[in-house]
Amino acid sequence: EDKVVQSPLSLVVHEGDTVTLNCSYEVTNFRSLLWYKQEKKAPTFLFMLTSSGIEKKSGRLSSILDKKELSSILNITATQTGDSAIYLCAVVGRAGAGNMLTFGGGTRLMVKP
Amino acid sequence: EAGVTQFPSHSVIEKGQTVTLRCDPISGHDNLYWYRRVMGKEIKFLLHFVKESKQDESGMPNNRFLAERTGGTYSTLKVQPAELEDSGVYFCASSRRTDFSGNTIYFGEGSWLTVV
Protein backbone atom coordinates (compact mmCIF):
# COMPACT_ATOMS: atom_id res chain seq x y z
CA GLU A 1 0.00 0.00 0.00
CA ASP A 2 1.27 3.47 -0.88
CA LYS A 3 2.40 5.50 2.12
CA VAL A 4 3.33 9.14 2.73
CA VAL A 5 4.76 10.28 6.06
CA GLN A 6 5.22 13.89 7.10
CA SER A 7 7.25 15.33 9.93
CA PRO A 8 7.08 17.02 12.27
CA LEU A 9 3.41 16.58 13.14
CA SER A 10 3.26 20.16 14.37
CA LEU A 11 5.53 23.11 14.76
CA VAL A 12 5.28 26.41 16.61
CA VAL A 13 7.68 29.17 15.57
CA HIS A 14 7.94 32.93 15.79
CA GLU A 15 7.62 35.35 12.94
CA GLY A 16 10.85 35.63 11.00
CA ASP A 17 11.96 32.06 11.69
CA THR A 18 12.77 29.64 8.88
CA VAL A 19 11.07 26.24 8.89
CA THR A 20 11.67 23.01 7.03
CA LEU A 21 8.88 20.48 6.61
CA ASN A 22 9.63 16.92 5.62
CA CYS A 23 7.79 14.38 3.50
CA SER A 24 8.86 10.82 2.78
CA TYR A 25 7.01 8.32 0.65
CA GLU A 26 6.72 4.73 -0.51
CA VAL A 27 4.72 4.69 -3.69
CA THR A 28 4.55 2.33 -6.61
CA ASN A 29 4.93 3.93 -10.02
CA PHE A 30 5.77 7.37 -8.66
CA ARG A 31 4.74 10.21 -10.94
CA SER A 32 4.92 13.40 -8.90
CA LEU A 33 4.85 14.90 -5.41
CA LEU A 34 2.55 17.73 -4.50
CA TRP A 35 2.50 20.20 -1.63
CA TYR A 36 -0.74 21.80 -0.48
CA LYS A 37 -1.54 24.43 2.14
CA GLN A 38 -4.75 23.98 4.07
CA GLU A 39 -5.74 27.04 6.08
CA LYS A 40 -9.40 26.78 6.90
CA LYS A 41 -10.94 24.28 4.59
CA ALA A 42 -9.99 23.56 0.97
CA PRO A 43 -6.35 22.57 0.40
CA THR A 44 -4.71 24.97 -2.01
CA PHE A 45 -1.96 23.92 -4.36
CA LEU A 46 1.61 25.06 -3.72
CA PHE A 47 4.06 22.98 -5.77
CA MET A 48 4.32 19.97 -8.00
CA LEU A 49 7.69 18.19 -8.13
CA THR A 50 8.60 15.53 -10.64
CA SER A 51 12.37 15.76 -11.05
CA SER A 52 14.97 15.20 -8.40
CA GLY A 53 17.19 18.07 -7.31
CA ILE A 54 15.31 20.89 -9.03
CA GLU A 55 14.12 23.49 -6.57
CA LYS A 56 10.75 25.10 -7.06
CA LYS A 57 10.30 28.55 -5.56
CA SER A 58 7.37 30.80 -4.90
CA GLY A 59 8.17 33.85 -2.82
CA ARG A 60 9.35 32.72 0.58
CA LEU A 61 8.41 29.11 -0.10
CA SER A 62 10.60 26.59 -1.83
CA SER A 63 10.58 22.86 -2.26
CA ILE A 64 12.84 20.15 -3.59
CA LEU A 65 12.48 16.47 -4.32
CA ASP A 66 15.04 13.73 -3.68
CA LYS A 67 13.96 10.61 -5.56
CA LYS A 68 16.92 8.63 -4.26
CA GLU A 69 15.88 9.25 -0.67
CA LEU A 70 12.17 9.12 -1.57
CA SER A 71 11.59 12.42 0.15
CA SER A 72 10.88 16.08 -0.25
CA ILE A 73 11.27 19.18 1.89
CA LEU A 74 9.26 22.37 1.98
CA ASN A 75 11.11 25.44 3.24
CA ILE A 76 9.49 28.63 4.41
CA THR A 77 11.81 31.54 5.14
CA ALA A 78 10.99 34.66 7.15
CA THR A 79 7.73 33.11 8.34
CA GLN A 80 4.66 35.27 8.86
CA THR A 81 1.51 34.66 10.89
CA GLY A 82 -0.31 34.14 7.60
CA ASP A 83 1.80 31.03 7.01
CA SER A 84 -0.01 29.30 9.87
CA ALA A 85 -1.78 26.32 8.31
CA ILE A 86 -1.62 22.60 7.79
CA TYR A 87 0.86 21.70 5.06
CA LEU A 88 -0.03 18.55 3.18
CA CYS A 89 2.25 16.44 1.08
CA ALA A 90 0.67 14.12 -1.48
CA VAL A 91 2.20 11.73 -3.95
CA VAL A 92 0.76 10.77 -7.31
CA GLY A 93 1.24 7.14 -8.24
CA ARG A 94 -0.02 5.22 -11.19
CA ALA A 95 -2.91 2.93 -10.36
CA GLY A 96 -4.80 0.99 -12.98
CA ALA A 97 -6.02 3.24 -15.76
CA GLY A 98 -5.46 6.44 -13.86
CA ASN A 99 -3.52 8.14 -11.10
CA MET A 100 -3.93 7.93 -7.38
CA LEU A 101 -3.20 10.71 -4.93
CA THR A 102 -1.95 9.55 -1.51
CA PHE A 103 -1.75 12.12 1.25
CA GLY A 104 0.51 12.37 4.27
CA GLY A 105 -0.89 13.27 7.66
CA GLY A 106 0.13 16.90 7.34
CA THR A 107 2.30 19.22 9.39
CA ARG A 108 0.46 21.80 11.46
CA LEU A 109 2.46 25.03 11.49
CA MET A 110 1.68 27.85 13.86
CA VAL A 111 3.57 31.11 13.49
CA LYS A 112 3.37 33.40 16.51
CA PRO A 113 3.81 37.16 16.23
CA GLU B 1 -15.10 30.05 -12.65
CA ALA B 2 -16.97 28.55 -9.71
CA GLY B 3 -14.94 26.13 -7.63
CA VAL B 4 -15.85 22.72 -6.29
CA THR B 5 -18.76 23.13 -3.92
CA GLN B 6 -19.83 20.77 -1.21
CA PHE B 7 -22.97 20.56 0.88
CA PRO B 8 -23.53 20.52 3.79
CA SER B 9 -20.44 22.18 5.22
CA HIS B 10 -21.18 20.69 8.64
CA SER B 11 -23.46 17.91 9.76
CA VAL B 12 -24.06 16.35 13.16
CA ILE B 13 -26.12 13.15 13.19
CA GLU B 14 -26.80 10.31 15.56
CA LYS B 15 -25.32 6.88 15.16
CA GLY B 16 -27.56 4.80 12.93
CA GLN B 17 -28.92 7.72 10.95
CA THR B 18 -28.30 8.41 7.29
CA VAL B 19 -26.40 11.33 5.83
CA THR B 20 -26.00 12.33 2.21
CA LEU B 21 -23.15 14.58 1.17
CA ARG B 22 -23.23 16.38 -2.13
CA CYS B 23 -20.43 17.59 -4.37
CA ASP B 24 -20.72 19.85 -7.39
CA PRO B 25 -17.51 19.70 -9.39
CA ILE B 26 -16.20 22.46 -11.61
CA SER B 27 -18.21 22.58 -14.81
CA GLY B 28 -16.61 20.49 -17.53
CA HIS B 29 -14.56 18.34 -15.15
CA ASP B 30 -15.19 14.71 -15.97
CA ASN B 31 -13.13 13.44 -13.05
CA LEU B 32 -14.56 13.61 -9.57
CA TYR B 33 -12.88 12.25 -6.45
CA TRP B 34 -13.99 11.70 -2.90
CA TYR B 35 -11.49 11.74 -0.05
CA ARG B 36 -11.94 11.75 3.69
CA ARG B 37 -9.92 12.63 6.71
CA VAL B 38 -10.91 11.01 9.96
CA MET B 39 -9.64 12.48 13.20
CA GLY B 40 -5.88 12.33 13.60
CA LYS B 41 -5.26 10.50 10.36
CA GLU B 42 -4.22 11.42 6.86
CA ILE B 43 -6.56 12.21 3.99
CA LYS B 44 -7.53 8.95 2.33
CA PHE B 45 -8.86 8.27 -1.13
CA LEU B 46 -12.37 6.87 -1.31
CA LEU B 47 -13.30 6.72 -4.97
CA HIS B 48 -12.96 8.24 -8.41
CA PHE B 49 -15.66 8.87 -11.02
CA VAL B 50 -15.03 9.49 -14.67
CA LYS B 51 -18.26 11.06 -15.80
CA GLU B 52 -20.94 8.82 -14.32
CA SER B 53 -18.79 5.69 -14.12
CA LYS B 54 -16.86 4.54 -11.08
CA GLN B 55 -13.27 4.33 -12.23
CA ASP B 56 -11.88 3.21 -8.90
CA GLU B 57 -13.73 2.59 -5.67
CA SER B 58 -10.99 0.73 -3.87
CA GLY B 59 -10.93 3.22 -1.01
CA MET B 60 -14.56 2.84 0.04
CA PRO B 61 -14.42 1.50 3.59
CA ASN B 62 -17.49 -0.75 3.57
CA ASN B 63 -20.95 -1.20 2.12
CA ARG B 64 -22.45 1.46 4.35
CA PHE B 65 -21.01 3.97 1.90
CA LEU B 66 -22.70 4.54 -1.44
CA ALA B 67 -21.52 7.07 -4.01
CA GLU B 68 -23.41 8.05 -7.12
CA ARG B 69 -22.91 10.45 -9.96
CA THR B 70 -26.01 10.20 -12.11
CA GLY B 71 -25.70 12.11 -15.35
CA GLY B 72 -22.02 12.73 -14.75
CA THR B 73 -22.53 16.07 -13.05
CA TYR B 74 -22.84 16.34 -9.28
CA SER B 75 -22.10 13.43 -6.98
CA THR B 76 -23.58 12.25 -3.72
CA LEU B 77 -21.99 10.17 -1.01
CA LYS B 78 -24.45 8.48 1.30
CA VAL B 79 -23.52 6.93 4.61
CA GLN B 80 -26.17 4.54 5.91
CA PRO B 81 -26.25 3.72 8.76
CA ALA B 82 -23.62 6.10 10.10
CA GLU B 83 -21.21 4.87 12.77
CA LEU B 84 -19.07 6.86 15.18
CA GLU B 85 -15.88 6.11 13.25
CA ASP B 86 -17.34 7.78 10.15
CA SER B 87 -16.82 11.19 11.75
CA GLY B 88 -14.38 13.31 9.82
CA VAL B 89 -14.05 15.66 6.89
CA TYR B 90 -15.15 14.47 3.48
CA PHE B 91 -13.42 16.24 0.63
CA CYS B 92 -14.49 16.27 -2.96
CA ALA B 93 -12.12 17.18 -5.78
CA SER B 94 -12.42 17.47 -9.52
CA SER B 95 -10.12 17.63 -12.48
CA ARG B 96 -10.43 17.92 -16.21
CA ARG B 97 -7.91 15.18 -16.93
CA THR B 98 -7.38 11.81 -15.34
CA ASP B 99 -3.64 12.09 -15.77
CA PHE B 100 -3.58 15.16 -13.58
CA SER B 101 -0.80 17.46 -12.62
CA GLY B 102 -1.06 19.10 -9.24
CA ASN B 103 -2.51 22.37 -10.28
CA THR B 104 -5.41 20.86 -12.15
CA ILE B 105 -6.98 19.15 -9.17
CA TYR B 106 -9.35 21.42 -7.34
CA PHE B 107 -10.63 20.62 -3.89
CA GLY B 108 -13.86 21.62 -2.23
CA GLU B 109 -13.92 22.98 1.29
CA GLY B 110 -15.06 19.68 2.73
CA SER B 111 -18.14 18.43 4.52
CA TRP B 112 -17.51 18.02 8.23
CA LEU B 113 -19.44 15.05 9.57
CA THR B 114 -19.84 14.33 13.26
CA VAL B 115 -21.62 11.16 14.33
CA VAL B 116 -22.69 11.13 17.98
Side-chain angles (χ1 to χ4, degrees):
Chain A
E1 188 180 305
D2 294 350
K3 194 173 164 184
V4 178
V5 177
Q6 291 185 246
S7 64
L9 292 177
S10 69
L11 202 50
V12 180
V13 301
H14 286 98
E15 271 192 318
D17 288 347
T18 293
V19 297
T20 299
L21 311 183
N22 301 287
C23 174
S24 63
Y25 61 88
E26 292 173 28
V27 171
T28 43
N29 300 315
F30 173 90
R31 295 182 72 84
S32 58
L33 185 145
L34 315 173
W35 283 97
Y36 286 89
K37 178 182 181 184
Q38 184 180 9
E39 290 178 84
K40 291 194 178 152
K41 291 187 177 178
T44 53
F45 172 79
L46 293 175
F47 297 111
M48 182 180 77
L49 305 161
T50 52
S51 302
S52 225
I54 297 175
E55 187 183 53
K56 293 265 179 111
K57 269 183 87 76
S58 175
R60 295 175 295 102
L61 276 66
S62 63
S63 184
I64 196 161
L65 174 68
D66 186 337
K67 281 184 174 177
K68 213 172 175 181
E69 296 295 324
L70 305 182
S71 65
S72 173
I73 58 170
L74 174 69
N75 276 319
I76 309 176
T77 58
T79 51
Q80 302 171 356
T81 54
D83 296 328
S84 297
I86 296 173
Y87 290 83
L88 297 167
C89 172
V91 176
V92 180
R94 187 79 182 167
N99 292 328
M100 177 81 75
L101 195 62
T102 303
F103 283 89
T107 293
R108 185 180 293 272
L109 173 66
M110 181 183 292
V111 181
K112 292 186 169 180
Chain B
E1 180 181 71
V4 177
T5 55
Q6 293 187 243
F7 179 84
S9 57
H10 289 81
S11 182
V12 180
I13 62 170
E14 290 185 342
K15 179 181 165 179
Q17 288 186 322
T18 297
V19 64
T20 300
L21 311 178
R22 173 173 168 142
C23 170
D24 285 79
I26 291 173
S27 177
H29 283 194
D30 287 343
N31 295 275
L32 186 149
Y33 310 84
W34 282 99
Y35 290 84
R36 76 168 179 177
R37 182 178 192 147
V38 295
M39 193 61 81
K41 298 201 173 172
E42 64 272 17
I43 299 175
K44 286 269 197 192
F45 168 81
L46 295 178
L47 88 159
H48 170 206
F49 282 100
V50 178
K51 296 185 181 177
E52 67 274 12
S53 299
K54 290 176 186 171
Q55 175 80 12
D56 182 347
E57 53 183 327
S58 61
M60 293 288 262
N62 52 60
N63 60 10
R64 295 185 294 103
F65 288 75
L66 175 65
E68 293 179 322
R69 193 182 181 196
T70 310
T73 54
Y74 70 90
S75 173
T76 57
L77 179 64
K78 183 194 286 190
V79 185
Q80 179 183 30
E83 298 289 342
L84 299 179
E85 65 264 24
D86 301 332
S87 297
V89 187
Y90 290 77
F91 288 102
C92 177
S94 73
S95 68
R96 198 176 293 279
R97 307 194 314 257
T98 298
D99 192 12
F100 53 73
S101 56
N103 58 359
T104 60
I105 287 192
Y106 299 87
F107 282 85
E109 294 192 341
S111 287
W112 294 69
L113 172 65
T114 303
V115 183
V116 297

